[in-house]
Amino acid sequence: MRQRTRVPSQRWGCRRLGAVLISTLMIATSAGCFAHGGSEDADGTGSGPDESIAALLPADVKNSGSLTILYGGPQPPFYLPNQGTVDGVSVDIGHALADLMGVKVEFLNIGSLPSLVAALDAGRADLSLGPWGDNPERQKVGTFVDWMKEKVAFLVSKDNPKNINGLDTVCGSTIALLAGGQATVVMQKQSDKCVAEGKPAVDMQTFQDWATAALAVSSGRVDAYFSSVSGMTYYAQRDEAMKVVGTDQPNGFGDLPMGAIVKDDSGLQPALQAAFERILADGTYDKIMDEAGLGLEKVETIGVNLGK
């Protein structure tokens, strides 16, 4: 078994997000910051552990006094690697949950869902907060604790010359998509519909990551980027030349449950769910999500395996 590498997290506070070179495939970021919401670390400065939640932890976590949480590299606004540390919405939530459980937290960078499964199976980590899309196929990986919902919409330039605001407005447009994503399947069906109706097909351009797709919009290379709202909101907040549209449309998806994954036999799901319910009730969850511009993605209740 490989030795775990600790990736510590720092609170975001009002630290400005540093500019990241385009050559690293990240768009330079500027004004704006997200405050760490909720309980402080369990050092006497915050609310500290909740004994009823801590009592639900499985024995191995109680004995180690720590949780290792997997994440999949840069995923704005949930994970933002920063000079050997990682910040973001999921990191702030992870700290709030760990504080209530009375344990320390480490974040381990893992590349993909298959890598995540292998790491969980090998005991290299306890869970992934994600958020991962919850569906029946992925429920074979483990139990989902769903803590947000996602929408799929469009990132466009501010003037939006093609007037894109939903799937039925994309005929003849050039649309950016993430390679291998479900959005590509939905857009292909829409393109086929356009042709069947005697309209121009959609010119679909695929990209390997969020940053280059967003850059394609800001540079005018494509007319829009079709993907989940949370990531696009992050880029639109940092570039006044772009905006998110079509959030009031189902766009072939509707609301998608998203959540954390724990192994079915880990015994961790009850404590994790209870901690999530606590931060939802005490306002910590709302604060973290609202300050990241994720009001549309918030849920009113925490669910388990909601994907159908």
Side-chain angles (χ1 to χ4, degrees):
M1 184 184 302
R2 290 193 302 173
Q3 185 176 3
R4 294 192 304 197
T5 301
R6 182 176 182 183
V7 184
S9 170
Q10 296 175 344
R11 291 192 180 85
W12 298 19
C14 283
R15 182 176 68 247
R16 292 170 64 86
L17 294 173
V20 183
L21 295 176
I22 294 294
S23 61
T24 65
L25 301 181
M26 289 296 291
I27 290 176
T29 58
S30 56
C33 60
F34 303 101
H36 184 287
S39 302
E40 298 293 327
D41 289 335
D43 57 5
T45 60
S47 59
D50 181 305
E51 292 184 2
S52 63
I53 294 174
L56 297 174
L57 289 170
D60 59 337
V61 176
K62 290 180 181 177
N63 293 336
S64 68
S66 67
L67 284 175
T68 300
I69 298 176
L70 298 174
Y71 72 101
Q75 187 187 351
F78 301 103
Y79 301 97
L80 301 166
N82 178 32
Q83 298 181 345
T85 68
V86 60
D87 300 324
V89 170
S90 293
V91 176
D92 285 347
I93 285 178
H95 278 292
L97 299 174
D99 291 346
L100 288 171
M101 296 175 185
V103 297
K104 296 179 181 179
V105 63
E106 301 176 27
F107 288 87
L108 178 65
N109 189 353
I110 205 79
S112 64
L113 186 61
S115 299
L116 178 146
V117 175
L120 290 177
D121 283 339
R124 295 178 59 207
D126 300 295
L127 74 150
S128 176
L129 281 178
W132 297 91
D134 180 357
N135 60 51
E137 184 65 26
R138 286 183 173 175
Q139 287 168 13
K140 297 175 183 177
V141 173
T143 300
F144 275 77
V145 177
D146 295 311
W147 57 271
M148 64 169 277
K149 59 187 178 184
E150 185 60 282
K151 293 178 178 291
V152 176
F154 297 86
L155 180 69
V156 298
S157 63
K158 205 73 168 183
D159 56 355
N160 191 16
K162 293 291 187 72
N163 293 316
I164 294 170
N165 60 16
L167 269 183
D168 59 351
T169 64
V170 298
C171 298
S173 298
T174 302
I175 306 296
L177 301 144
L178 282 185
Q182 185 64 26
T184 302
V185 177
V186 172
M187 190 57 64
Q188 184 61 61
K189 289 181 179 178
Q190 182 61 34
S191 182
D192 294 343
K193 181 181 178 183
C194 291
V195 173
E197 294 174 350
K199 301 174 183 178
V202 178
D203 180 9
M204 303 194 308
Q205 301 289 322
T206 57
F207 297 84
Q208 294 300 317
D209 60 86
W210 283 77
T212 48
L215 180 60
V217 175
S218 66
S219 66
R221 179 179 170 186
V222 300
D223 298 310
Y225 172 33
F226 183 53
S227 192
S228 55
V229 170
S230 56
M232 295 190 297
T233 297
Y234 174 85
Y235 288 107
Q237 287 176 331
R238 284 153 182 78
D239 187 342
E240 62 182 12
M242 296 190 292
K243 63 182 179 181
V244 179
V245 298
T247 57
D248 60 340
Q249 304 292 322
N251 293 320
F253 287 93
D255 290 344
L256 305 174
M258 306 279 286
I261 302 176
V262 297
K263 292 295 292 181
D264 293 335
D265 59 358
S266 69
L268 189 55
Q269 181 258 319
L272 183 64
Q273 184 176 350
F276 262 116
E277 289 171 349
R278 168 69 180 275
I279 66 169
L280 191 67
D282 69 14
T284 299
Y285 171 87
D286 282 342
K287 182 177 181 181
I288 295 172
M289 296 288 281
D290 288 344
E291 289 179 344
L294 299 180
L296 288 174
E297 287 83 0
K298 293 194 303 184
V299 296
E300 295 182 358
T301 58
I302 303 300
V304 175
N305 288 342
L306 296 180
K308 305 298 182 186

